Amino acid sequence: MKKIGWIGTGVMGKSMCIHILKNGYPLSVYNRTKEKAGELCKEGAAWLATPGDVAAASDVTFTMVGEPADVEQVILGKGGVLARSRPGSVIVDMTTSEPSLARRIYEEAKGKSVSSLDAPVSGGDIGAREGTLAIMAGGDEEAFKRVLPVFELMGKNIAYMGGPGMGQHTKMSNQIVIAAAMVGVVESLLYARRAGLDLDAVIDIIGKGAASSWCLNQLGRRIVKGDFAPGFYIRHFVKDMGIALLEARRMKLSLPGLALANQFYIAAMAEGLETEGTQALYKVLDRLNRP
Ligand code: NAP
């Protein structure tokens, strides 16, 4: 795994690439908006003109784009990553995307003697910056073992979860927890404020007890500061909950807690908050409670 390619240098991708560069791997990059790869190029990454060009130059090509439609276009599109990948190389999609798309990519890649992993992450913008992400991978274990040294540059908690699509299913399990947790964090802080408490003091004490969570300790603090910048975009979270609800319906599984959280976040989209961080759910429930 000498030459690495990376497509999608947004909030997450950019920070993950920095770790790869700092560890001396040759890295070529592509992003829809070229300027967002500028800092990486200054650090030594090579800019290539298309996703296909990146794949053709790489032993392993990572994608960290936004939505499943972007993954499909970049990997399976005409002249895209798979079309230009060399036999024996590996494609690793780290976008939070659909398990069914991961399986399709795996099958099409196999037909070209290319390996494919779905390897979404958890740990947020901070985890990406600090190289402490949780990485949950699906695909062939042999391919996972080959890519593991690169995963170890970006993450601290890395697991092989099973065949193609199982990384994405694991990420959906993660998002189902987060959905309910975010409603809980927001309601807890609204309650504490109405009761006249100091919100930071509340997080100081309950954030170390049984109510402790990343959502409370990281995003709860941002709410108290009035910092609603992303982090993790609301529009991406709505995408994730949509995938989880669709998969659950296919499994004939009723998840009313997830469905309720999804409705609150759709209300946030209706209020024009889609490019704010997921903690901006606070604004929706705050408005609901105005006298
Ligand atoms: P982001 O900042 O929007 O980054 C995505 C990048 O991919 C953007 O720079 C975008 O280009 C690029 N891109 C999208 N479609 C493309 C295409 N067709 N061709 C080339 N480049 C394309 O989003 P992010 O926060 O890094 O999230 C990326 C993924 O990770 C999402 O699936 C998200 O759900 C997941 N995730 C995010 C977090 C988090 O905390 N942020 C945590 C875990 C997982 P432009 O610059 O032109 O838009």
Side-chain angles (χ1 to χ4, degrees):
M1 290 300 150
K2 292 218 169 61
K3 291 187 185 156
I4 297 180
W6 196 286
I7 295 144
T9 56
V11 173
M12 298 295 284
K14 181 184 150 195
S15 296
M16 292 158 88
C17 282
I18 294 272
H19 300 296
I20 293 173
L21 282 171
K22 289 215 162 118
N23 281 277
Y25 284 89
L27 179 72
S28 53
V29 295
Y30 174 81
N31 190 65
R32 186 171 50 198
T33 307
K34 187 176 178 183
E35 295 70 49
K36 287 195 193 167
E39 207 181 310
L40 289 170
C41 293
K42 273 190 208 138
E43 295 284 332
W47 171 264
L48 293 180
T50 69
D53 289 348
V54 170
S58 303
D59 299 311
V60 56
T61 303
F62 291 88
T63 51
M64 187 52 153
V65 290
E67 314 256 338
D70 302 319
V71 174
E72 189 173 356
Q73 186 204 338
V74 164
I75 297 182
L76 298 179
K78 204 165 168 237
V81 169
L82 181 56
R84 304 276 309 278
S85 287
R86 294 191 300 252
S89 62
V90 187
I91 299 169
V92 185
D93 181 34
M94 304 193 82
T95 315
T96 305
S97 175
E98 294 162 357
S100 56
L101 179 57
R103 288 194 295 272
R104 219 177 105 207
I105 293 169
Y106 174 90
E107 289 303 332
E108 292 195 24
K110 202 172 171 184
K112 298 192 70 184
S113 303
V114 172
S115 298
S116 154
L117 295 169
D118 48 295
V121 305
S122 174
D125 53 333
I126 299 173
R129 275 200 303 277
E130 294 180 351
T132 56
L133 291 168
I135 302 174
M136 42 211 94
D140 289 339
E141 195 166 9
E142 178 271 331
F144 171 76
K145 284 183 179 156
R146 280 164 67 202
V147 178
L148 187 57
V150 187
F151 284 151
E152 283 170 343
L153 307 178
M154 312 173 223
K156 285 275 172 287
N157 182 11
I158 302 159
Y160 173 72
M161 302 306 297
M166 293 311 226
Q168 295 295 353
H169 276 311
T170 309
K171 175 70 185 182
M172 289 306 125
S173 303
N174 183 83
Q175 298 308 71
I176 293 165
V177 175
I178 303 273
M182 283 311 298
V183 176
V185 166
V186 164
E187 291 188 355
S188 167
L189 293 180
L190 281 167
Y191 177 92
R193 194 183 65 178
R194 187 68 66 89
L197 288 158
D198 174 328
L199 299 190
D200 272 319
V202 170
I203 297 176
D204 284 346
I205 184 75
I206 74 170
K208 294 192 182 75
S212 162
S213 71
W214 193 93
C215 296
L216 177 64
N217 288 315
Q218 302 295 336
L219 300 182
R221 292 283 186 204
R222 292 186 201 179
I223 290 170
V224 179
K225 277 196 234 133
D227 172 7
F228 296 106
F232 182 37
Y233 292 113
I234 282 181
R235 70 181 158 84
H236 281 160
F237 196 33
V238 169
K239 173 253 305 177
D240 295 356
M241 288 185 286
I243 296 170
L245 286 165
L246 186 68
E247 291 294 331
R249 197 174 74 192
R250 286 188 181 134
M251 298 172 192
K252 294 195 170 66
L253 187 65
S254 169
L255 301 176
L258 173 63
L260 178 64
N262 184 50
Q263 289 300 317
F264 282 132
Y265 273 102
I266 289 174
M269 299 270 281
E271 289 194 24
L273 302 175
E274 57 260 55
T275 55
E276 298 206 2
T278 48
Q279 70 275 23
L281 179 67
Y282 184 84
K283 294 183 183 177
V284 176
L285 288 161
D286 184 29
R287 274 198 265 277
L288 208 75
N289 282 292
R290 291 265 168 87

